[in-house]
Amino acid sequence: MVQTCSDSSAEDTMPWRVESLNFDDIDLECAAANEDLMLLLCACSFIESGSDLYTSNLVEFFKGDTEICTWLQNHWEPEELQHGHSLRAYIERVWPDFEWEASFNRFFAEYSKICSIEEYEKTRALEMVARCVVETGTATLYRAIRDACNEPVLKQLTDLIRHDEVRHYKYFLHYFNKNQKIERKGRFAILGALVRRVLELRNDDAEIALRHAFQSRYVGNRKPPVGGLKHVSKRVNGLVRRNLSADMCIKMLLKPLALPPRIHKGIHYPLAKFTQHVLFR
């Protein structure tokens, strides 16, 4: 059950704090052994740390809806920024010579040019469908990272973030249903928004973030891996794909469609294969 928020005091209700994590317990040798996974964490930390820009765009898009805007500003944004902060803290402990801030600034200078309200769906209900897709992608990504890694602190951290993303998804689904009562969009319109956002998940921000992480890691005397960024990207996608919970992903994606059980069962498998191929081919 989603509990809506109505005042600024809600910002004091963070479900966890980065201070609760003991980064001194990190198995540094284990963490540093997986270079590809560390690059993926860098990319994730950049995207999460740019959430304030995304929040301002969403607040502008949903201007006039106090309930949604309050939740975005007092809950979603601080929790997303905490994800970025905690991932940065982890990275800087494992890779103390990685210039995170300079790398993030270069990423954000490029990313901010493509992160605009013009890219949103045409209506509020359909934009909430798109938000559900994004939260589905992040929840399944952090679950995959948790299952792929052997380092205990990273397992704990990614599980905390995963829980946040699943909860965020429930809010966006709630707000979709709220707007859908007004707009009454048909299933084909909803499916169109779903497919468009799934196809966009691998574009732009993730690729920009991984590129900047790669370029910052392999500067000076550090030799880049064989095959360069292209091969690293393929290995990262393979790592995620091997640990991806396609079942969880599709169940979350299909909820806005409110399909009858018979139809839901019929399209579940082909949609799972399509999503897995598109996101992590």
Side-chain angles (χ1 to χ4, degrees):
M1 179 76 175
V2 169
Q3 300 294 321
T4 57
C5 57
S6 59
D7 59 64
S8 59
S9 64
E11 63 189 355
D12 298 325
T13 62
M14 298 275 282
W16 59 278
R17 296 279 182 178
V18 65
E19 294 81 11
S20 67
L21 296 164
N22 189 353
F23 292 104
D24 291 334
D25 288 344
I26 297 174
D27 184 335
L28 296 176
E29 184 177 353
C30 176
N34 196 331
E35 192 91 355
D36 292 345
L37 184 58
M38 287 296 297
L39 286 168
L40 175 59
L41 293 178
C42 288
C44 291
S45 73
F46 293 164
I47 295 169
E48 300 275 16
S49 297
S51 296
D52 49 351
L53 173 60
Y54 225 114
T55 303
S56 65
N57 286 343
L58 283 171
V59 168
E60 177 62 26
F61 189 83
F62 289 98
K63 190 174 182 178
D65 191 318
T66 303
E67 179 188 350
I68 291 176
C69 292
T70 299
W71 178 77
L72 286 169
Q73 292 173 310
N74 293 343
H75 291 267
W76 190 70
E77 179 181 359
E79 290 175 20
E80 293 290 303
L81 290 175
Q82 179 172 253
H83 298 168
H85 181 200
S86 57
L87 289 168
R88 174 183 179 175
Y90 186 91
I91 292 158
E92 291 182 330
R93 186 60 63 93
V94 179
W95 284 351
D97 59 342
F98 184 82
E99 296 185 352
W100 188 94
E101 187 168 1
S103 185
F104 169 74
N105 288 339
R106 288 190 292 269
F107 156 77
F108 193 75
E110 183 175 352
Y111 166 70
S112 60
K113 294 175 183 176
I114 65 165
C115 183
S116 67
I117 201 168
E118 286 75 22
E119 302 298 318
Y120 287 7
E121 291 290 331
K122 300 299 183 184
T123 75
R124 292 184 170 192
L126 294 181
E127 182 54 31
M128 282 302 177
V129 172
R131 295 299 95 216
C132 286
V133 174
V134 173
E135 298 299 333
T136 297
T138 53
T140 52
L141 172 62
Y142 285 113
R143 175 173 173 169
I145 295 174
R146 181 202 66 183
D147 293 346
C149 76
N150 297 316
E151 203 289 301
V153 176
L154 184 56
K155 277 190 175 291
Q156 179 189 11
L157 172 56
T158 49
D159 203 43
L160 287 169
I161 296 176
R162 178 185 69 87
H163 280 292
D164 282 352
E165 303 293 8
V166 170
R167 181 164 36 78
H168 296 168
Y169 165 89
K170 291 177 180 178
Y171 271 93
F172 284 124
L173 182 64
H174 166 74
Y175 293 136
F176 159 73
N177 289 325
K178 172 185 174 178
N179 283 282
Q180 175 66 348
K181 288 178 182 177
I182 301 168
E183 297 180 20
R184 308 184 73 84
K185 294 295 181 184
R187 287 197 177 104
F188 280 111
I190 296 169
L191 181 61
L194 283 170
V195 172
R196 281 191 295 276
R197 203 61 186 86
V198 167
L199 290 172
E200 289 172 6
L201 278 180
R202 281 206 57 208
N203 293 339
D204 298 330
D205 53 354
E207 293 179 0
I208 293 170
L210 188 60
R211 170 162 45 80
H212 281 281
F214 181 90
Q215 291 171 348
S216 296
R217 176 62 175 166
Y218 301 110
V219 295
N221 297 323
R222 182 172 283 108
K223 185 178 180 181
V226 176
L229 176 60
K230 182 178 180 181
H231 282 248
V232 167
S233 182
K234 287 182 70 174
R235 289 199 303 271
V236 164
N237 287 331
L239 180 150
V240 175
R241 185 173 58 250
R242 289 191 299 274
N243 295 276
L244 181 71
S245 174
D247 227 28
M248 167 187 160
C249 183
I250 298 309
K251 284 178 181 176
M252 292 172 74
L253 285 177
L254 290 179
K255 276 189 178 293
L257 289 168
L259 295 169
R262 179 175 57 84
I263 298 176
H264 186 288
K265 185 177 180 181
I267 70 170
H268 186 282
Y269 179 77
L271 190 56
K273 299 305 290 184
F274 165 76
T275 303
Q276 189 176 39
H277 173 74
V278 168
L279 293 184
F280 305 107
R281 62 182 182 271

